[in-house]
Amino acid sequence: MTSPLTVERLQFLIEEDIYIQGLLERRLARTYSEFLARLRADIALAVQELALNPQLFLNESEDATTARLLLVLKGMGYTADHNNAGGGNIDVTVRQIRRGFRWIAEAKKFDDIGSMRDGFVQLSTRYVPGDDNEGSCYGGMIGYLRRPNAAECMNDWRSHFAEIEQATNAAVEDCELLGPFGFNSSHTHKESGLPLKLWHVCVRLFHGPEDKSAKRSKKHAANLEKYGSGAPASSVAVDIGPSAA
């Protein structure tokens, strides 16, 4: 017979099982900060899972990879979709309907600094982000990286981010969840005049094995020819000039 679910037993399950902990925190979130903290932890978990099998997504489109991420979030109980609202096609919109919480993100193929910049300009000037009742707006920049040296590529984006015209006077901080593969930024949102706090996320999808079997494989030939044992991140095009949204 199953033991009764006492408060002590429930607390034990929460401490021992991240999935039970996540379920309860999603359902019990009463403030935007609680909603956001749980959502970020869930996205970090999903991103880390995708990075375990990059060989499955070598030639996948930007929208297809985003759809995978949305499916994971839906499976966790979020209302998550590609939403046509707020001035355009928002790649990722996550909502907690019960309390009206909302978070948006722009997802881009991280081909170079320019592609990330274009996504940021769209996110920060075209769309209406989610907000809390303390006077801040929130969103995210998600980059699908299929190149080597992910930490260096992300550092390049972080270094050049504050030089973008639309991110003037931006403050940048480390990301505890993703370490070198993420960072946080804050700058004034043009429409609202409120601080726009963004979470910049790198989804690592490079796959370039160099064993004999991989070198004979047509599937890996393009990556091996393009990057060899790993092209430096400095080979990334750095273009931070004006861009149309």
Side-chain angles (χ1 to χ4, degrees):
M1 179 180 293
T2 304
S3 302
L5 187 60
T6 62
V7 173
E8 291 77 13
R9 188 159 182 246
L10 182 59
Q11 184 62 41
F12 172 79
L13 290 173
I14 292 172
E15 293 173 355
E16 293 296 315
D17 191 317
I18 62 171
Y19 296 102
I20 292 177
Q21 180 187 42
L23 173 63
L24 291 174
E25 289 182 353
R26 278 176 226 120
R27 297 299 300 169
L28 298 176
R30 293 180 176 273
T31 65
Y32 191 91
S33 60
E34 290 177 350
F35 159 75
L36 184 63
R38 186 63 251 172
L39 174 62
R40 284 170 58 121
D42 288 333
I43 290 176
L45 181 62
V47 163
Q48 289 160 1
E49 287 296 318
L50 286 175
L52 291 177
N53 291 289
Q55 73 279 6
L56 301 178
F57 323 122
L58 288 178
N59 300 307
E60 195 167 61
S61 71
E62 183 179 289
D63 286 345
T65 309
T66 300
R68 289 184 185 276
L69 182 59
L70 291 173
L71 283 173
V72 173
L73 294 175
K74 288 178 181 178
M76 291 176 171
Y78 292 103
T79 299
D81 50 37
H82 182 92
N83 193 283
N84 191 334
N89 293 309
I90 304 172
D91 290 330
V92 176
T93 299
V94 183
R95 290 171 289 170
Q96 190 213 67
I97 302 297
R98 186 162 49 91
R99 296 191 179 274
F101 299 145
R102 179 172 170 272
W103 183 84
I104 67 171
E106 181 73 4
K108 302 292 290 185
K109 279 190 174 181
F110 195 167
D111 292 329
D112 51 35
I113 295 297
S115 61
M116 293 295 284
R117 178 209 61 207
D118 289 345
F120 162 72
V121 173
Q122 282 186 311
L123 181 69
S124 61
T125 65
R126 178 178 295 190
Y127 306 143
V128 179
D131 59 79
D132 61 18
N133 59 4
E134 298 177 357
S136 294
C137 301
Y138 295 86
M141 273 298 305
I142 301 173
Y144 302 130
L145 186 73
R146 292 180 169 86
R147 296 180 285 117
N149 296 321
E152 191 174 347
C153 289
M154 202 60 178
N155 189 58
D156 279 351
W157 168 234
R158 175 173 175 161
S159 298
H160 289 93
F161 172 74
E163 299 179 28
I164 303 173
E165 179 183 353
Q166 292 80 4
T168 302
N169 298 321
V172 178
E173 297 178 345
D174 293 341
C175 171
E176 293 183 2
L177 285 172
L178 297 175
F181 308 119
F183 65 91
N184 302 303
S185 69
S186 178
H187 73 286
T188 302
H189 187 253
K190 183 177 181 180
E191 180 271 328
S192 69
L194 299 174
L196 174 56
K197 299 183 178 182
L198 298 180
W199 185 32
H200 302 251
V201 176
C202 177
V203 184
R204 293 172 289 137
L205 298 174
F206 174 70
H207 185 63
E210 297 185 42
D211 55 275
K212 292 182 179 179
S213 176
K215 290 180 178 180
R216 291 194 298 265
S217 169
K218 292 182 179 180
K219 183 172 67 172
H220 303 307
N223 266 6
L224 289 169
E225 181 178 352
K226 188 173 183 180
Y227 296 115
S229 60
S234 58
S235 66
V236 178
V238 177
D239 175 9
I240 55 172
S243 173

